[in-house]
Amino acid sequence: MRIVIAGGHGQIALRLERLLAARGDEAVGLIRKPEQADDLRQLGAEPAVLDLETASVDEVAERLAGADAAVFAAGAGPGSGAARKETVDKAAAILFADAAVQAGVRRFLIVSSMGADPSHQGDEVFDVYLRAKGEADEYVRNLDGLDWTILRPGRLTDDAGTGLVHLAAHTGRGPIPRDDVAAVLAELLDTPATAGLTLELISGKVPVSVAVKSVAGG
């Protein structure tokens, strides 16, 4: 498969690109800075420089042309203010989804956040973040042109992945290594029967492949 990943230099995306390249897929990572390109090449991924905060839907669709799937793994990051939660976590996700529809790329995964909710109340930066992620998720759900899956991880850690997770519509709070988030994304890409599901993810006791098959009805 050819898979285009928004936020291609992000911590989850880099792990996903390594997994995809290792299994023989073509991973294309969209990056904002040309100097990030070598990091992707070292993983076996193809870098593509494109800033989702300034790009047009046509420009993004051009990058998505010929892809089998698209993954939105971009984020403004923990040190950013409320404004970039709106421009990256919400607007860029919507742009990427619209571009996928335009390019005819049906399979679409979005890395969201546990607690994302368009009706979330509060004025702190994290409140804005949860609202922005929720609004992006809601927009994607309403696009008939996408076979979407929304993944909402718990508290992200840099611990080594265990390959054991709890994946369900509702899991309760908990941590999850970024390694395991990437592994679940790779498995979801191989499991089209998960389209239309919004899933929470934390560490657990079930192997990734078994967990994904279970939510897919397999």
Side-chain angles (χ1 to χ4, degrees), residues 43-59:
L43 301 173
E46 175 189 330
V49 179
L50 186 70
D51 187 345
L52 291 175
E53 288 182 271
T54 59
S56 68
V57 67
D58 290 341
E59 289 171 325

Side-chain angles (χ1 to χ4, degrees), residues 9-206:
H9 198 261
Q11 295 185 67
I12 290 172
L14 290 170
R15 289 165 168 83
L16 177 59
E17 287 153 4
R18 181 188 294 111
L19 291 175
L20 295 176
R23 73 184 196 184
D25 287 326
E26 290 181 61
V28 181
L30 301 184
I31 55 176
R32 287 191 305 125
K33 300 175 182 178
E35 57 267 29
Q36 297 170 334
D38 283 346
D39 291 340
L40 273 68
R41 292 191 187 100
Q42 288 171 11
L43 301 173
E46 175 189 330
V49 179
L50 186 70
D51 187 345
L52 291 175
E53 288 182 271
T54 59
S56 68
V57 67
D58 290 341
E59 289 171 325
V60 183
E62 188 176 326
R63 298 292 191 179
L64 282 161
D68 299 292
V71 180
F72 186 82
S80 59
R84 293 202 71 228
K85 307 303 184 193
E86 292 287 336
T87 58
V88 179
D89 294 292
K90 177 184 172 182
I94 288 171
L95 173 71
F96 196 58
D98 284 341
V101 172
Q102 183 169 312
V105 182
R106 290 201 63 92
R107 190 68 176 119
F108 191 91
L109 306 186
I110 184 166
V111 181
S112 184
S113 174
M114 196 172 288
D117 181 352
S119 301
H120 181 83
Q121 299 298 307
D123 300 316
E124 298 297 322
V125 171
F126 192 66
D127 297 322
V128 175
Y129 169 75
L130 291 177
R131 202 157 46 242
K133 293 299 265 186
E135 288 169 350
D137 293 354
E138 193 67 22
Y139 186 86
V140 168
R141 284 195 190 102
N142 288 311
L143 288 176
D144 292 335
L146 296 181
D147 297 326
W148 52 265
T149 303
I150 296 168
L151 184 64
R152 293 178 166 176
R155 181 174 56 81
L156 298 170
T157 77
D158 288 325
D159 296 338
T162 65
L164 300 173
V165 300
H166 180 27
L167 179 70
H170 301 288
T171 62
R173 300 280 173 172
I176 180 76
R178 289 177 173 87
D179 287 350
D180 289 335
V181 177
V184 168
L185 289 169
E187 195 72 27
L188 288 171
L189 286 166
D190 278 348
T191 315
T194 57
L197 299 179
T198 300
L199 300 167
E200 294 182 352
L201 174 67
I202 58 174
S203 291
K205 299 179 180 178
V206 180

